Amino acid sequence: MLDSAKTETLLEVNNIEVIYNHVILVLKGVSLNVPKGGITALLGGNGAGKTTTLKAISNLLHSERGTVTKGSIQYRGARVQDLSPEALVKMGVIQVMEGRHCFEHLTVEENLMTGAYTRNDGAGAVSADLDMVYTYFPRLKERRKSQAGYTSGGEQQMCAIGRALMSRPETILLDEPSMGLAPQLVEEIFTIVKNLNEQEGVSFLLAEQNTNVALRFAHQGYILESGRVVMEGPAKELRENPDVKEFYLGMSDEGRKSFRDVRSYRRRKRWLA
Amino acid sequence: ELVIPDLSYRTGPYAAGGTPFSDGYQDYFNLLNARDGGIGGEVVRILECETGYNTEKGVECYESTKGEGALIYQPLSTGITYQLIPKATADNIPMHTLGYGRTSAANGEVFNWVFNYPANYWDAASVAVNYLLDENGDDLDGKKIALVYHNSAYGKEPIRTLEALSEMHGFELTQLAVDHPGQEQKSQWLQIRRERPDYVIMWGWGVMNQVAVQEAANIGFPMENFIGNWWAGAEHDVTPAGMAADGYKSLNMNRVQDYPVLDEIKTLVHDAGNAAGDGSNLGSVLYVRGMYTAMLAADAIAKAQEIHGVSDVTPPMVRDGLEALEMTNARMAELGMEGIGPEFSASCQNHGGSGQGLVQQWNAADGVWVPLTDFIAPDDSVIDPLIAEDSAAFAAENGITPGCL
Amino acid sequence: MSTDFLYGIEVIINGLMAGVLYALVALGFVLIFKASGIFNYAQGVMALFAALTLVGIMEGQVPFSHLINAVFGADIHHFGWHVPALLAIALTVILMIGFAWAVQHFVFRHLVGQEPIILFMATIGLAYFLEGIGDLMWGSDIKTLALGLPQGGSRWVEDITAGLGGDDFYGFFIDKLDMLATLVAAVLVAGLIVFAQYTKQGRAMRAVADDHQAALSVGISLNFIWVLVWSLAGMVALVAGVMWGAKSGVQFSLSLIALKALPVLMLGGFTSIPGAIVGGLIIGVGEKLFEYTIGAPFLGGATENWFAYMLALIFLVFRPQGLFGEKIIERV
Amino acid sequence: MLYREAGDFKTSYHADSQTFPIRFDRIGFWVIMVIAFLVIPFMINDYWANAIFVPFLIYAIAAIGLNILTGYCGQVSLGTGGFMAVGAYACYKLMTGFPDVSIVIHIVLAGGITAVVGAAFGLPSLRIKGFYLAVATLAAQFFLVWLFNKVAWFYNYSASGQINAPERFVAEVAVTGPNTAPAAQYLICLVFLTFCALIARNLTRGTIGRSWMAIRDMDIAAEIIGVNPLRAKLTAFAVSSFFVGIAGALFFSVYLGAVEVGEAFGIQKSFLVLFMIIIGGLGSIFGSLAGAAFLVLLPVALKVVGVNVLGWPTDLVAHLQLVIVGGLIMFFLIKEPHGLAQIWRLTKEKLRLWPFPY
Amino acid sequence: MDMRNITLRFGGVEAIKDISFDIREGEIRAIIGPNGAGKSSMLNVISGFYHPQDGKVWFRGEKRPPMKPYQVARLGIARTFQNIALFEGMSVLDNVMTGRLTHMKTNMFWQALWMGRAEAEEVANREIVEQIIDFLEIQAIRKTPVGRLPYGLKKRVELARALAAEPKLLLLDEPMAGMNVEEKEDMSRFILDVNDEFGTTIALIEHDMGVVMDISDRVVVMDYGRKIGDGTPDEVRGNQEVIDAYLGVAHE
Ligand SMILES: Nc1ncnc2c1ncn2[C@@H]1O[C@H](COP(=O)(O)OP(=O)(O)OP(=O)(O)O)[C@@H](O)[C@H]1O
Ligand SMILES: Nc1ncnc2c1ncn2[C@@H]1O[C@H](COP(=O)(O)OP(=O)(O)OP(=O)(O)O)[C@@H](O)[C@H]1O
Ligand SMILES: [Mg+2]
Ligand SMILES: [Mg+2]
């Protein structure tokens, strides 16, 4: 397990604020560090601002009429806020968007090939990577010739992740990779994440709702609540934290509760007003 | 001060026609100002308003200029004319629609405030047929004539007259409609190629003219048997087809030639930097027509000043002048434009003039329109009943009792 | 063979040729729609603008002379030189690329991710804008294209086919310009198909059409792709403008040819390059044949405009995405 | 603080669903109504009526109509010009066929006839969607214009193919024909606009409006939750055409007095009305009015500035006008794709937060 | 509800192969299976959006003729969607009100007038909707346009919309995807409450085994269009084929 203090910080987000539509303030000062070669998890409830944070980093906010109004974002020490998304991809930062976003009319294989758009290391390397993706996701190989729009939700999710891998990234911003995937596949995807991280040295920043799995695979984590970081630390520590345990892992002192029994129990406790 | 609005169009699909007309119209008044200090000592003030050939803008132009004391309107658009006829009538301002607008306005007893001399569309159709009669030894029996027309109110104007004439003279009439704007006329010209009519008459405007001339050339139709009406016979209608357009004919109601007045305009207006446009249209077909229109209006104003004995005339006085207008060859010569139009005299009954027109032909090598004939008279026996019928219908629909003012 | 039948065939051949001319305009639409989901209403005005520019450059007109004269009281019109046709074409192409860049940089870059109708509206705004600029730059009179393109019916075709029918059959009429247009269109279409289907940029272009955000997220530069397709569309517009302008002179009405291309587009599918051609052919033949057999004899003629749309409409009822359009994906 | 919303609590669902839930807006609304009905008629002259107010009111009706179809139900139509023509010609035939019946009834009936025609042309919308539908509506546009041009019965066999509005009266006051007072023209259009706006508002806030919007936002999901797409789309076409038909009837009879179909109701008209709703704001009745006002006023204003103030040649101004209108459209879309109505809403949202920036 | 021998093909792909199962009145029935197994397609068949090539759908003891989706909705079947299908242009309240469309009957004329019937109906339905809004605890966002909501809330609004129809059968397609544990707990509670209080029959697709095993009465397991298991949660959990195809290693 990596210790953030010792390793080089790859991506540094410094106290950023994001406003949508000039009026809706969503991030109220978020700071985080993604160390090189680490897996960083970004946790938090619905609407906490995870997606917004990721989009702010990858500069995709612009097309949603969102703007970063304060703070700075640095990648390898260089300010990247004003770069275009494609420049970031060229620098090795790629985002897998929440909700799949496959190119509906392209076939699965063409979708994967678009991931290699920014590469110019020859067709051979690209097709080798294509094979690699197919070995990770055999289901995609079966469906390679069908239009992505007609594949099932899970297949689309694999396609989106595979597409990102095709760009040979250095850092991947993963937004809710487990959403809508069968449990087996969730494990698989996280195993792939781990492999990539360990073997290829890819760094990850992943936004997840599935706290359980996320904290199992991540090295460190941040917890976001209504646009603020409320807790951060190594994943192990977070897992042990009683609050996290109760609210994010669904475990109370007595162990895991059945969903049948939660019933109309307790109101939520907040760290911050 | 005499206020003359000029509802022009120098933009939009018909700009190529609207621009020279408006240049000629304004330049003539500018000449009067420069040379004579206006009309009867009153300076002419021109209010130009761009309509873009669009009826709503035309209405806006009318409303915005009428308050300034506009004396006479000539909107150069049949559509706008129709809108303005009731309005101008109610406001007691005369309109002059030369060779366009509502044909039956020639009946001055119904349309007291509208003048369309020297000729109208029905006259034009008749003039064309009379010309062909002349060419064929007064016999068109069994000849085939095709009418290619813009599929709009304007284009449909000659149909009734031509139908009546075809019955009278025994020629066969084929009607070919071309939809606006008229970029694509393959079907029509293929049909002409199949049926090989002896003559083609065209009622076109805008891009339709250029394409028709080109297509006629493409199918090898003899240009000298192809006659456009007077809105299909300007320089820009034939130049895109280049040499292929040589020999194409068209009607005109104003002879195009070198007039002394053009030289005066050149020196007194253009060289003095007062040209209405960029000066390149001087002497072109539509420029001369605009100038001719202005001359008629100016003369009517002069006439009004004479009748009423004041120089600062009002619109109703101008109407009187228009109704008392008398265009003689001598007068035209005096104005430096000898033979520019037919002789005619207006009256309360007759707001339509003599209806005469001439035929001109395009000489592509020299790039000029050459008048071929003298002014030809229409067949009033056909046209007068049609006018009487249509104006009576209008009078009935609008509760007008025909009569003189 | 009966004469009527032969003339029917002639109508069909000419319909096909007319269809090619429509398709030339439709191609520009397809390119932009395919790459950005933008329904570019300005395509017709672009054709006008390109043709105006070509003529203006060839004749050495001073751009904006009218405006300059009005504001500064000057009196300038021409530089007094004539530019050879090929050089003028090259210059026009460069200008159209500049235009593509400007459109992208000042307008569509700011509209990424908006709904299609908003983008469509923006192109109408663009059409007005460009029309005004075209007028200001080169004047609104009718200009003659002196490129020396062939004109007139082909005597050769006429002579060899005249023998097919009786005395009242004069041989097939085929316009030489139309033949040239067909050739040009064939080359264009072949080139564009290869581009869209088999190149990396082509694939990226289709990806962009599907999902702007996702395309951005994988590092496709929307700007680059769009400048590329707008440039291509500008060149297609130039070709269309030249072909149509050769018939009618270069004038405002050229911009209205867009309306002839819309049914073609609809029938062929907004996203299909071959569709534009096939659609053009069907529309061309359909409307001419209808006018020949029913329109002119029974309905008083001038039916082509609406018939083209009706024909396309009927096709659409059976295939809502057009003949070759990408299937509209309906899933929940 | 000028604009307050806080403290304005609703105690019943009735109060909550009223048109102007906020008192401030309600007062503003009544002030505008009083000015519109009681002040302007006494001040209006021919120029203001014919150049600005009457076209504005009529276009506003058409824009509301199109907004129902496009803004609320999501079906883009480019056939507005054609449908206005149906209204105009229906009105003409009724006026000349039944001269003794009140023109108000004629105009409403003209709307009804247009609704039927509109619904008929709306049938393909079941299969055809998006821009394909937009282009398909052009079939209606071209066909209708051709029809009115070709079939002489529609223009009572007049020689020129033009139709002229005969003089008609409402309560002894001429509202059509050459002797109409500007105030009469203005008032009849205003009354129609008020009614149309009210009806539109009522329809869009209730069940039917919600089924339209559901179809607009996601037609498949709408069908699965129980919206009958056939019904929703056809009613939208019909209601929309009803308004557009009324606008066409007024346009012909009260405003222009004489029209030729190709020129007055050509495709340009379809685009113009579409512009209005997009600039004004899709799915907003206020937006329809704002868009109509904007596009009627802008050219006039530009002309006044260019020709009367700066004294430039008219053609130059007309060209510049194209450039400016086109440029402004793009500028607006970039700044606020959802139109003037959205600008208004965001302004209110900001005012609510005032004096804090957000 | 009884599905008999359903087969559904898309071109070459056979999404559902001859599957039969039933849903009993008042139960919570879960459908699980790996991605692409055909679960969503099955829901689409039930709600009439896909028409199976083979097989019959029985509803309440009667064979259901081929129907359009909106007709199915009128039978009392409501659903939520895997990829949220809310009407983005409307407020939360309006979205939920669309759920009541099948219950609102005033004709257009009265609606145009508004006063009277239309208003009365609106207010009456509004009351029902407000109850549901209260029940799902989304009062605060009533007037917010749904486009601005975070994912989890959208799912809840979708549920509200489906509930507003007062359905007899409620189909839920991955209602808890993209939620954290706490939110899942909330959602589970809502589902159970709906089932308890209104007696609504529920069919649900879910990938979170914890939830499925805890709240459902019976489970169908699908794999590549085939049915590989059917029974109570415990039976299914023990089924080796199911473990191989879907569950993988025992779940935490
Ligand atoms: N385009 C937008 N316009 C306005 N507000 C937005 C927009 N996108 C997101 N928001 C708001 O920003 C806040 C944070 O949203 P975000 O999508 O970042 O949350 P999240 O943590 O990713 O939640 P989830 O787990 O549900 O995906 C939410 O309150 C949401 O309403
Ligand atoms: N309209 C369609 N056309 C073609 N193929 C389709 C269509 N709908 C679904 N499919 C295919 O049918 C299969 C089953 O899809 P379905 O959406 O039912 O899966 P699922 O079980 O819901 O999976 P997931 O858990 O990933 O959502 C998939 O392989 C999908 O590609
Ligand atoms: Mg998120
Ligand atoms: Mg699914």
Side-chain angles (χ1 to χ4, degrees), chain B residues 329-368:
Chain B
N329 280 334
R331 176 68 183 147
M332 289 184 272
E334 191 186 327
L335 292 169
M337 34 185 118
E338 185 170 9
I340 193 170
E343 289 193 291
F344 69 89
S345 57
S347 68
C348 160
Q349 286 76 28
N350 183 353
H351 283 190
S354 63
Q356 293 181 352
L358 54 73
V359 176
Q360 57 181 10
Q361 189 171 33
W362 176 244
N363 178 338
D366 300 341
V368 288

Side-chain angles (χ1 to χ4, degrees), chain A residues 50-52 98 175-176 207 209, chain E residues 151:
Chain A
K50 303 183 294 297
T51 303
T52 307
E98 175 183 46
D175 202 350
E176 308 223 8
Q209 294 273 14
Chain E
Y151 194 85

Side-chain angles (χ1 to χ4, degrees), chain A residues 69-86:
Chain A
T69 49
K70 259 191 213 156
S72 68
I73 301 171
Q74 294 187 325
Y75 187 72
R76 286 204 228 114
R79 193 182 146 89
V80 293
Q81 249 152 297
D82 310 312
L83 290 183
S84 60
E86 72 266 15

